[in-house]
Amino acid sequence: MSDLRKQGQLAHNATSEDFAFLDLFDLAESDFEERCRWCSLIHRSMIELGAQLPEVGRPGYARVSFQEGRPIYVEWTGKSRITAEIYQIEGMSAQPGHSDAIPGLGYASDICPSLSSAETFDRIKSWVSQCEKTHFECKRLFPAAPRRLLDIEDPYCIRLVANRAEPVDYIALSHRWGKIQPCKTTQASLTERMTLILWEQLPKTYQDAIIVAQRLGISYIWIDSLCIVQDDLVEWVTESVKMSAIFEDSYLTIAATSALDDDHGFLESSAVRANYFSRSVDLSDYGVEGDPVRVRTIHDFRTEDGTNYLAKRAWALQESLFPHRLLTIGATVRLECRRGTFCECGSGLSPDPFCGPAAIFRKVDRTGFFKNVASDQQTIDRYDFWYHNIVVEYTDRKLTFHKDRLPAIAALARRYALLTNDVYLAGLWKTDLTFGMCWATERGATHIPERAPSWSWASLEGLVRWPSALRGITKPSMEVLSTQLDTKIEYGSMLVRARARAAWLQISWSEDNQHRKFDWQLKSDRRDAPILSSEGGLGYAQFDCPLFEQYPLSFLQYKRPNLRRSASHEYQVNRVFKGNVLCILLREPNGLDRNQGYIFLILGAKVRNNSTQRSGLRWDPDMQETRDPPSERYERLGTLRIDIRHYYPVASRELFDTWLNSMTTEHIILE
């Protein structure tokens, strides 16, 4: 703030090192009496945006951020909250001998009223030209043409072309299909599409993408629904794993973020865009002639989520990570390459100082991805980026078809398999399975039967996360002996050797008008005292999805159900679920402090073909331990983490130690 104080003593009531806090009535009075040019600039700018003083007697302030050579950012809290960016246009000073209308005030660019204007496309061309000429990391090495492309050189003869041997510049389109997709290539229409596609047959989003490509001088475009035969399953599977190369080898990729579906298009200006148009600020009484000083609502990508229809689309994640250059056309236009970003506002992607750290907002980490796939990265870093960045972001996105959960990330998985020289197993990595299986659902998830094995996060629909500090304080305890996946990855199993112990689990959910409550107890047997519970503080259990009780064939005699995954959320509230489970030790502490970081998998025994099977390792009512080779299969129900603190009751710690020491090493099959 020292620069700010020097220039007109703006910070009359500054109370923060980063911001000046100005009383709104003092600010208005200073402007009316022309005591301070900076106060006048801020007050008049905010009035242009419709700001009003609060009612008499009610507090109001302006929080101001100013750095030398940067625009001024203001948060006005009067009758309503308004954020503003105040800047000047370069070369518009009317003062002889001065390049700046207001020395010290930073520059930015006005946002053009029309997305399809010549000025907008001139900016895009200049960004791409600068990237091509000066960014060595953005150069495409040995680009190859996709299997099919749309030839758009002649606007009156658009058609599919196939198997081009020589490299060509092409643009790829990332878009949201919508619920209905009539414009697609099928086996029946392929021959016709290779001859001619009428302009009227193309939906608005495709037309806009072709217009962008033609105005950038590119003769080919790749659009998934037209360039892949949609009813040819073999081709669809083959091409889906090539997505990384298709988007990475593109001249640039268009992200049509403002198109709700393919019928809406993205080149027409919207009310959201109009919100960022600038207004001139009159400072003629301070000797500033003309209108070089502007004010507008702060443009920041973090506030665009409501109009970014690709931000929640699962397929769009890998489409946004692979391209060397990503041209986003939404409320505004921006280009992201492997070195930096360009935005038509001239202030970068996240200039708003009142918006919070960029890391807490939804944003695909392209820079982090490029660094992570660099040749000098450690394999462990790649695993961590896969779990904490890619999968966490990916599982919070939606799919039109549940079956696409693994195919929509297959191209990314293929890239990481090459980088790590590891085997990809339904969203996890064979060498890192014990850490990969530590995932837990962030909030209520839904079990999708027959989509992936239960030990994979892909078996659920919902956000999952991994404990961030877990790797550094734990080591593997479970050993994976073998794995088996079918070709469709719908079914899979693994044989593991781990310390295991059968247990009795009781879970209850309840809710009232105030909140929802979740309680659980884990016992050695149903008649014993709890070893661990939600109230004891010793352990933290997370269950993957709703559960149900499944009785073996002889339930009338023993009345001892197994707990299983449920694909339905019905009847979960205000009920108590209890049954046999199996706990296996997945990871254990790796340091001198043996009390930190026990991770268990909670498993449920599967009953198949109307046969009775043991629940855990102890099926018979007398709980006699058996040592037979594993014949039953188990599915994952959740995870249990134990961190023993010194202030926990001694009795609780001793009870857990006794239970832990009673575990025996067993061979177990997980499905």
Side-chain angles (χ1 to χ4, degrees):
M1 291 302 300
S2 59
D3 293 331
L4 192 57
R5 295 190 183 98
K6 292 177 182 177
Q7 301 198 42
Q9 295 298 314
L10 174 61
H12 303 303
N13 296 312
T15 58
S16 168
E17 184 179 348
D18 300 317
F19 299 102
F21 290 83
L22 311 179
D23 181 273
L24 297 185
F25 291 101
D26 289 346
L27 186 68
E29 182 179 351
S30 178
D31 177 22
F32 294 148
E33 296 179 0
E34 298 185 0
R35 297 199 306 255
C36 172
R37 178 177 60 174
W38 295 99
C39 287
S40 295
L41 172 62
I42 292 173
H43 182 251
R44 296 177 191 182
S45 297
M46 301 310 295
I47 295 301
E48 286 292 336
L49 293 184
Q52 294 180 323
L53 292 172
E55 297 176 359
V56 177
R58 298 183 65 86
Y61 65 89
R63 186 160 57 135
V64 183
S65 173
F66 178 85
Q67 297 178 20
E68 182 74 26
R70 294 274 296 164
I72 293 176
Y73 297 97
V74 183
E75 179 186 45
W76 178 283
T77 307
K79 288 188 175 180
S80 60
R81 179 183 180 271
I82 299 176
T83 61
E85 180 181 32
I86 306 169
Y87 59 96
Q88 57 183 330
I89 303 296
E90 188 171 8
M92 293 190 64
S93 173
Q95 301 181 48
H98 293 278
S99 59
D100 297 340
I102 300 182
L105 180 62
Y107 296 108
S109 304
D110 281 345
I111 292 175
C112 300
S114 173
L115 275 167
S116 57
S117 67
E119 184 177 353
T120 297
F121 280 91
D122 286 343
R123 281 179 177 170
I124 297 173
K125 291 176 183 177
S126 69
W127 297 339
V128 175
S129 176
Q130 180 181 342
C131 176
E132 285 187 306
K133 293 177 180 177
T134 63
H135 298 175
F136 70 90
E137 59 267 65
C138 297
K139 295 186 181 299
R140 294 168 295 152
L141 301 176
F142 312 111
R147 181 174 184 172
R148 297 187 191 89
L149 287 167
L150 277 173
D151 185 342
I152 58 173
E153 185 174 13
D154 183 350
Y156 299 101
C157 185
I158 298 173
R159 61 192 179 92
L160 280 176
V161 293
N163 301 320
R164 295 191 61 92
E166 72 280 5
V168 295
D169 286 337
Y170 65 91
I171 284 177
L173 175 64
S174 177
H175 62 114
R176 187 183 186 198
W177 285 34
K179 295 182 178 180
I180 300 176
Q181 180 49 258
C183 190
K184 58 186 178 183
T185 297
T186 62
Q187 296 180 70
S189 64
L190 178 59
T191 301
E192 177 186 349
R193 301 234 186 271
M194 300 288 289
T195 304
L196 178 67
I197 301 175
L198 297 176
W199 182 260
E200 295 76 16
Q201 293 178 303
L202 298 170
K204 189 68 168 63
T205 296
Y206 294 8
Q207 293 176 354
D208 286 353
I210 291 172
I211 290 172
V212 171
Q214 291 173 336
R215 294 187 64 173
L216 294 179
I218 305 300
S219 300
Y220 298 93
I221 190 168
W222 185 89
I223 301 175
D224 50 3
S225 68
L226 289 175
C227 296
I228 299 175
V229 178
Q230 296 298 309
D231 59 352
D232 186 334
L233 181 59
V234 174
E235 178 175 323
W236 188 88
V237 172
T238 302
E239 294 299 305
S240 67
V241 298
K242 296 180 182 178
M243 292 294 185
S244 60
I246 292 173
F247 285 96
E248 190 169 15
D249 288 344
S250 67
Y251 179 76
L252 62 78
T253 292
I254 298 172
T257 60
S258 62
L260 176 63
D261 56 38
D262 286 337
D263 290 328
H264 277 71
F266 55 86
L267 284 182
E268 293 183 1
S269 295
S270 63
V272 177
R273 181 177 178 83
N275 186 52
Y276 299 119
F277 293 166
S278 67
R279 296 169 174 80
S280 300
V281 182
D282 182 10
L283 294 173
S284 57
D285 49 341
Y286 286 98
V288 179
E289 302 297 333
D291 57 355
V293 180
R294 303 281 211 275
V295 62
R296 67 177 170 215
T297 300
I298 300 176
H299 170 258
D300 192 297
F301 82 89
R302 293 168 291 181
T303 61
E304 282 189 5
D305 270 0
T307 56
N308 185 347
Y309 295 111
L310 294 183
K312 283 284 189 179
R313 181 174 174 262
W315 278 100
L317 177 61
Q318 59 185 18
E319 297 169 4
S320 65
L321 287 175
F322 284 123
H324 286 75
R325 288 182 286 267
L326 181 68
L327 179 65
T328 300
I329 304 180
T332 56
V333 179
R334 64 178 182 265
L335 180 75
E336 299 172 72
C337 66
R338 295 196 169 186
R339 178 180 292 187
T341 59
F342 306 86
C343 180
E344 64 174 326
C345 70
S347 300
L349 296 187
S350 53
D352 190 344
F354 316 113
C355 208
I360 68 174
F361 288 84
R362 174 182 302 279
K363 176 69 171 69
V364 176
D365 188 3
R366 281 174 51 88
T367 302
F369 174 73
F370 298 142
K371 291 180 180 178
N372 193 249
V373 299
S375 59
D376 59 347
Q377 286 290 300
Q378 297 292 323
T379 298
I380 199 71
D381 295 330
R382 291 194 170 115
Y383 289 142
D384 285 342
F385 192 87
W386 173 267
Y387 297 133
H388 297 299
N389 296 82
I390 292 177
V391 177
V392 169
E393 168 67 22
Y394 179 70
T395 55
D396 201 27
R397 293 175 172 232
K398 306 300 181 185
L399 287 162
T400 302
F401 305 105
H402 283 318
K403 64 180 179 61
D404 289 347
R405 179 54 71 186
L406 286 170
I409 202 173
L412 276 166
R414 186 184 184 197
R415 172 62 60 86
Y416 270 77
L418 294 173
L419 291 169
T420 60
N421 195 29
D422 202 350
V423 178
Y424 178 66
L425 297 171
L428 305 177
W429 299 100
K430 186 174 182 179
T431 305
D432 199 39
L433 267 178
T434 62
F435 181 81
M437 292 175 67
C438 292
W439 57 266
T441 53
E442 179 77 359
R443 47 183 180 262
T446 301
H447 173 51
I448 307 297
E450 300 182 358
R451 186 170 75 177
S454 69
W455 41 263
S456 167
W457 51 263
S459 63
L460 302 174
E461 196 66 27
L463 176 65
V464 300
R465 293 188 186 276
W466 280 259
S468 57
L470 187 64
R471 190 186 292 279
I473 63 173
T474 64
K475 63 182 179 181
S477 179
M478 182 185 78
E479 180 183 1
V480 180
L481 301 178
S482 65
T483 58
Q484 183 177 1
L485 286 174
D486 72 355
T487 55
K488 297 181 180 180
I489 322 181
E490 295 173 354
Y491 303 96
S493 64
M494 66 171 65
L495 175 63
V496 304
R497 179 166 51 224
R499 296 175 63 189
R501 183 70 161 83
W504 180 262
L505 180 65
Q506 179 172 306
I507 308 172
S508 63
W509 283 277
S510 62
E511 68 178 0
D512 52 30
N513 294 330
Q514 301 297 322
H515 62 279
R516 184 171 183 174
K517 188 179 180 182
F518 166 73
D519 295 304
W520 60 272
Q521 290 182 345
L522 189 71
K523 306 177 182 181
S524 292
D525 188 27
R526 58 180 175 176
R527 294 177 291 271
D528 294 342
I531 305 167
L532 302 164
S533 70
S534 53
E535 296 182 355
L538 203 63
Y540 179 61
Q542 290 181 283
F543 297 96
D544 299 339
C545 60
L547 307 177
F548 74 99
E549 300 169 352
Q550 182 183 58
Y551 285 86
L553 188 63
S554 55
F555 74 95
L556 292 177
Q557 179 180 357
Y558 297 119
K559 297 183 180 180
R560 297 177 63 83
N562 300 322
L563 287 183
R564 296 287 309 278
R565 280 186 171 192
S566 171
S568 172
H569 285 259
E570 295 181 2
Y571 312 116
Q572 295 296 313
V573 178
N574 297 323
R575 286 197 60 190
V576 176
F577 294 85
K578 49 192 175 182
N580 293 300
V581 296
L582 178 67
C583 296
I584 65 174
L585 184 58
L586 181 63
R587 294 181 73 89
E588 60 185 332
N590 65 358
L592 297 177
D593 185 0
R594 59 175 295 273
N595 295 322
Q596 296 290 319
Y598 289 95
I599 305 295
F600 298 87
L601 288 183
I602 304 174
L603 309 177
K606 302 175 72 173
V607 178
R608 304 187 302 176
N609 301 325
N610 294 323
S611 64
T612 299
Q613 299 182 348
R614 293 175 298 159
S615 173
L617 301 177
R618 303 185 173 188
W619 156 242
D620 63 274
D622 294 328
M623 301 295 285
Q624 296 297 318
E625 186 173 359
T626 60
R627 298 283 183 171
D628 299 332
S631 58
E632 56 283 296
R633 272 55 172 165
Y634 296 91
E635 66 179 1
R636 171 182 158 140
L637 304 181
T639 59
L640 175 65
R641 177 169 180 170
I642 307 297
D643 289 315
I644 303 176
R645 309 295 182 182
H646 68 277
Y647 47 79
Y648 289 156
V650 174
S652 297
R653 287 182 281 168
E654 290 178 346
L655 193 61
F656 169 72
D657 285 339
T658 301
W659 183 73
L660 181 66
N661 293 332
S662 70
M663 285 187 154
T664 57
T665 301
E666 303 290 343
H667 291 76
I668 301 151
I669 296 178
L670 304 182
E671 290 185 341

